[in-house]
Amino acid sequence: MQTTSPWQRADITLTAEHDHPAAYAEVAVWAEFVHDSGATLRRPAFWDGGRTWRIRFTSPLAGGSWRWRTEADVDDPGLAGRTGELAVAEAPAPTEGPAPTEGPAGEGPFRRHGFWRMSPGGRSLTHADGTPALLVGDTAWGLPWRATEEQVRIYAADRAGKGFNAVLLMSVQPDMDARGPRDRTADEGFDVAFEDLRDGHLNDLNPAYFQHLDRLLAILAEHGVVPVLQPVFHGFGWKGLRAAGPVVEPAEYARYCRYLVARYGADPVVYLVGADGSGHEPGIEAGGREIEEWDAYGQPCGIHYRPHSRADAHQDAPWLDFQWCQTGHRGEHVPERVADMWRNEPVRAVANGEPTYEHSGARGKGAGWWQGHEAWSNLCAGSTMGVVYGAGSLWQWVLRPGEPGHEPFFVADGAGWREALDFEGSRYVGLVSRILAGLPTTDMAPSWDLALAPRGLLVPGRLYVSYAEHGGDLRIAPWSDGSIPLPYRVVDPRTGEITGSGVRAAADAPVPDPGGAPRVYLCCADWRD
């Protein structure tokens, strides 16, 4: 009998007794897990080359055991009818204080509190046990097919150290017309996930590619950085060379989404089923349905849009949890895009998934504090699922300054991925998670009428968050009904330093600040100082 712990992945290996020439495309294998309590979970298996299939399973329950049995749509005793049992350790004693935002997976918030899921009101993230969560994401789209393990260790340590807890990734190099050596260390080189992607198909899967990706994502997990996995891009892609997303047949797109759920869905993950398109591309609905059917843990699934889009495709689909707009890369603040999405019904979580990349195409564009102002402006406009940052040359994983073959508009002059890692703006975005850590952010909502502030977020009676570009007193409206808690802290969002704290004397008393610098105001009922 295998043993495991709650929220820790266990792997089960199956060996087919027969050869299956089209194993990925034509063979389906899955397993049903039944707990002593009667709880049942179903997990798909994935083909890992040769005669090998694997099932990855994580127990959301502590204690007891899970009995499992496999099924397959082929007559192969090595795949169908296999059985086993997993014993689960009791949960460790809870520890006080907020969940950490970094550190080894064995000690981090996902082991302590479970995977992310949507909040009861559908506006934000929580862990499985209800602990509030906020996605603070970076954009390293090209990491899966360009980066080495050593590079990802450098990347993950930097991003976790700054406070990031997620990263947007294209799971495959999506451009059908991109050409280069199959070498992650060579100019214009990249690894290939599907041998037939250049023809617009996803049938000929390369297991070695995904085995390498396993190792890269494991490094991210060690640092508490969650992959936001996008199957096949729909818009610009890597170099603007005909992204395959819009032309892949829905059945192939759905099958690949199921593969991602099988291979990576027993670890913390976010599914970005559509990206950089209208949201109506043929494979998106099929992929979303497949993720909903096979994801046993209710992890978030949504769409990320191109800048010129309504950002409301499939708004009422049961598989859709969030909608992410994109404001393009011209260096302009457009938080009203987020505020507009907030009004769409039925309710979905929203965020700006792609503001201007720092130094994209020109030094100084979207640079430095621009990124911090953008993050806090989007958050307070309703981006309550989280905030996202991006840097020119990092998202493509440009190997070195001056590497040929990239679109100049998106490259940071004089920078490869490593130089872009040190751009100033990333510090300010990462700090958002540090500043809000441990606060009751679940289902906070935009508030415009209780304080004279550019924007604010409110959980009535528990939490109020506001950001002011130039600081100054936060004036509470005379008609305030007491929804804004009296204890307060004033924070410099450029450093995370608390510049003031106290308890207001009355519901309409201001939060004092001398002004002249960016400030975040936090009023929380849980504080007593």
Side-chain angles (χ1 to χ4, degrees):
M1 180 190 300
Q2 278 185 262
T3 59
T4 187
S5 297
W7 299 112
Q8 182 178 36
R9 194 186 83 204
D11 287 14
I12 299 166
T13 300
L14 306 175
T15 303
E17 293 189 7
H18 310 301
D19 291 326
H20 299 279
Y24 166 75
E26 297 181 3
V27 178
V29 182
W30 63 97
E32 185 173 273
F33 292 77
V34 180
H35 190 260
D36 296 339
S37 66
T40 301
L41 293 177
R42 185 181 60 166
R43 288 287 298 150
F46 62 91
W47 176 65
D48 204 25
R51 293 187 175 186
T52 300
W53 269 259
R54 302 190 196 281
I55 302 165
R56 290 177 171 171
F57 175 80
T58 293
S59 175
L61 302 176
S65 64
W66 295 84
R67 290 171 176 82
W68 56 266
R69 179 182 178 85
T70 65
E71 296 187 42
D73 62 359
V74 293
D75 184 12
D76 189 320
L79 302 178
R82 308 297 296 179
T83 61
E85 188 172 353
L86 277 170
V88 186
E90 295 293 337
T95 57
E96 295 184 358
T101 55
E102 60 178 296
E107 302 171 3
F110 298 99
R111 283 288 305 280
R112 295 169 62 194
H113 302 291
F115 297 165
W116 282 340
R117 59 181 57 175
M118 303 313 298
S119 61
R123 291 297 197 182
S124 58
L125 297 176
T126 69
H127 289 273
D129 68 356
T131 300
L134 183 78
L135 181 147
V136 178
D138 189 28
T139 309
W141 294 118
L143 178 153
W145 68 85
R146 297 218 88 191
T148 66
E149 293 178 55
E150 180 181 1
Q151 291 169 350
V152 173
R153 287 190 185 94
I154 295 169
Y155 171 83
D158 178 272
R159 276 358 196 192
K162 289 174 178 171
F164 289 92
N165 59 16
V167 57
L168 281 60
L169 303 173
M170 299 183 199
S171 64
V172 302
Q173 195 290 107
D175 288 357
M176 292 185 287
D177 293 337
R179 300 292 183 266
R182 195 171 297 195
D183 183 346
R184 293 169 180 263
T185 64
D187 281 0
E188 302 189 74
F190 59 93
D191 205 350
V192 175
F194 288 89
E195 303 295 345
D196 54 350
L197 185 142
R198 64 174 56 191
D199 300 318
H201 289 287
L202 303 175
N203 296 314
D204 191 1
L205 179 139
N206 177 9
Y209 173 90
F210 290 96
Q211 291 160 4
H212 185 92
L213 184 56
D214 285 355
R215 296 191 292 273
L216 301 187
L217 298 192
I219 294 167
L220 294 175
E222 289 170 6
H223 292 81
V225 179
V226 175
V228 179
L229 288 179
Q230 205 292 311
V232 188
F233 224 59
H234 296 92
F236 181 81
W238 184 32
K239 299 183 177 182
L241 299 174
R242 290 202 307 145
V247 303
V248 170
E249 294 179 9
E252 294 179 20
Y253 198 86
R255 181 173 59 223
Y256 180 46
C257 287
R258 176 175 170 175
Y259 184 86
L260 291 176
V261 172
R263 188 150 201 148
Y264 301 113
D267 291 302
V269 68
V270 174
Y271 301 107
L272 197 60
V273 70
D276 203 34
S278 70
H280 294 286
E281 289 79 7
I284 290 178
E285 182 175 12
R289 289 177 180 271
E290 197 78 1
I291 290 170
E292 181 190 32
E293 180 178 354
W294 289 99
D295 171 28
Y297 304 105
Q299 302 203 72
C301 176
I303 302 175
H304 165 59
Y305 293 86
R306 64 193 179 201
H308 46 298
S309 175
R310 289 182 55 86
D312 63 355
H314 308 289
Q315 187 77 21
D316 61 351
W319 52 264
L320 185 85
D321 297 313
F322 64 86
Q323 303 276 37
W324 287 0
C325 69
Q326 175 189 169
T327 48
H329 304 284
R330 294 176 43 161
E332 297 158 336
H333 299 293
V334 198
E336 55 265 34
R337 295 274 183 91
V338 172
D340 186 56
M341 284 196 303
W342 179 275
R343 303 182 186 99
N344 292 337
E345 293 184 347
V347 164
R348 296 291 183 258
V350 299
N352 184 354
E354 200 170 357
T356 295
Y357 294 137
E358 190 166 12
H359 296 300
S360 177
R363 281 286 173 171
K365 186 199 294 184
W369 177 244
W370 188 100
Q371 295 289 340
H373 176 76
E374 173 77 356
W376 285 103
S377 297
N378 283 318
L379 180 74
C380 291
S383 185
T384 52
M385 184 173 178
V387 295
V388 178
Y389 165 84
S393 294
L394 177 61
W395 75 263
Q396 313 95 316
W397 211 265
V398 174
L399 297 186
R400 61 175 179 81
E403 183 192 9
H406 296 283
E407 169 58 49
F409 181 79
F410 291 114
V411 176
D413 183 45
W417 73 271
R418 182 60 189 87
E419 291 79 13
L421 204 59
D422 296 329
F423 289 167
E424 178 186 354
S426 63
R427 301 203 312 264
Y428 306 127
V429 180
L431 268 175
V432 173
S433 70
R434 303 282 195 233
I435 292 169
L436 298 179
L439 296 180
T441 55
T442 300
D443 286 324
M444 55 186 176
S447 171
W448 302 83
D449 59 338
L450 295 180
L452 185 60
R455 286 185 175 84
L457 296 167
L458 180 68
V459 179
R462 297 203 66 195
L463 178 68
Y464 182 75
V465 178
S466 184
Y467 163 69
E469 183 177 5
H470 304 292
D473 290 351
L474 176 65
R475 300 180 183 179
I476 310 300
W479 53 84
S480 175
D481 59 1
S483 292
I484 298 179
L486 299 179
Y488 70 85
R489 292 176 185 170
V490 183
V491 179
D492 185 337
R494 301 165 301 176
T495 63
E497 176 190 2
I498 297 174
T499 62
S501 64
V503 179
R504 294 182 299 117
D508 62 351
V511 175
D513 180 75
R519 289 292 182 261
V520 169
Y521 309 88
L522 305 173
C523 300
C524 183
D526 297 340
W527 293 332
R528 296 293 178 264
D529 57 334

